[in-house]
Amino acid sequence: MKLYYFECMQRGDPIRLLLHHHQVPFEDIHIDFAKDWMKGGYKHKSEYGVLPELEINGKKHSQLRAIMRYLGKQYGYYPEDPIEALQVDSFVDALSDVFAFGGMHIHKKFIDQDPNWENQLPDCKTMHRYFYERVQKLLEQQGKTDFALLGKLTIADFFLVSLLRSSVHSEVMGPHFKDIHDTSPLVKEYYEKKLKEWESIIKKSG
């Protein structure tokens, strides 16, 4: 199995975390954005012009959520019950919207080199705050901060930890989101638990 993504966390992170958590051997192949993706033509060779891609038995597959559902079903992180699966999918889809919005701002800063990229940060913060509030409420309803949903480990946890890692530890976005994180006690508690529990796999994931 081979994972193709850039040398950063972002959208490759949930896959890396899940595979390391289940101790699945895989090759983590880093694509150089400028040299391989933009100038080398890799973008046009990829299935849908996006990364990550996961190669299984010699065939590459793309689209993060589809890959995560596949891996979740393969390794026991995706519910068999249709209603539970719907809950997980709803959570992951909402979280992916936040991922995409944050990624757009990173793109503006580093790729477009837009000097005014920070002008739209208030909108990005609003979306993050809204999502944090929803997660905070879900954790309140569960009465525990061990898992994101359903009282068990699902692909939702790998997505959530990845988003929190990208938000909290990012040199670019982290300072802007610190106040949201610090004022969401249950989300913060959940994240600190996962950092401790998953210390070894997070180190492997980079």
Side-chain angles (χ1 to χ4, degrees):
M1 194 177 289
K2 298 178 182 178
L3 172 64
Y4 297 82
Y5 193 62
F6 308 115
E7 193 173 359
C8 61
M9 292 186 291
Q10 298 298 326
R11 292 167 57 80
D13 200 40
I15 299 172
R16 291 183 185 119
L17 289 175
L18 187 154
L19 292 174
H20 283 312
H21 189 274
H22 203 75
Q23 300 181 358
V24 180
F26 72 101
E27 189 176 347
D28 194 357
I29 298 171
H30 295 159
I31 304 299
D32 184 279
F33 185 85
K35 182 175 141 189
D36 301 323
W37 185 249
M38 298 302 290
K39 294 180 181 176
Y42 193 102
K43 178 179 175 68
H44 301 293
K45 297 174 190 173
S46 60
E47 188 178 27
Y48 292 112
V50 295
L51 291 179
E53 287 186 319
L54 188 67
E55 184 176 322
I56 305 166
N57 297 325
K59 175 164 176 53
K60 291 179 183 176
H61 305 271
S62 63
Q63 296 298 330
L64 172 59
R65 281 171 279 181
I67 291 170
M68 287 296 288
R69 280 195 296 271
Y70 165 80
L71 293 174
K73 290 173 184 177
Q74 285 289 104
Y75 302 118
Y77 302 117
Y78 192 80
E80 292 184 5
D81 179 81
I83 293 297
E84 288 189 350
L86 176 60
Q87 287 179 264
V88 168
D89 286 342
S90 297
F91 182 92
V92 167
D93 286 354
L95 190 150
S96 296
D97 291 340
V98 182
F99 248 132
F101 205 62
M104 180 180 70
H105 287 78
I106 296 292
H107 193 284
K108 283 185 177 182
K109 176 175 172 59
F110 291 106
I111 309 305
D112 299 338
Q113 296 185 339
D114 182 351
N116 302 311
W117 74 277
E118 287 185 286
N119 291 349
Q120 293 182 30
L121 269 178
D123 292 337
C124 194
K125 283 192 71 171
T126 297
M127 180 172 270
H128 268 73
R129 183 173 286 108
Y130 184 84
F131 187 74
Y132 260 83
E133 287 171 358
R134 296 305 176 274
V135 177
Q136 179 81 9
K137 189 174 180 182
L138 283 170
L139 293 173
E140 253 177 50
Q141 289 170 348
Q142 291 183 111
K144 292 181 179 179
T145 55
D146 298 318
F147 305 106
L149 290 172
L150 306 174
K152 59 187 176 184
L153 188 62
T154 68
I155 62 169
D157 291 286
F158 299 109
F159 272 99
L160 181 55
V161 170
S162 296
L163 175 69
L164 295 174
R165 266 164 50 88
S166 296
S167 300
V168 176
H169 296 297
S170 166
E171 291 181 9
V172 178
M173 307 301 271
H176 299 283
F177 298 139
K178 187 177 185 305
D179 60 325
I180 300 174
H181 189 75
D182 288 345
T183 53
S184 306
L186 295 182
V187 179
K188 191 173 180 179
E189 182 181 313
Y190 165 88
Y191 183 53
E192 287 172 355
K193 277 185 180 180
K194 283 292 174 276
L195 287 181
K196 188 174 179 181
E197 288 172 20
W198 293 2
E199 183 179 2
S200 62
I201 70 166
I202 286 172
K203 281 182 181 176
K204 289 178 186 174
S205 298

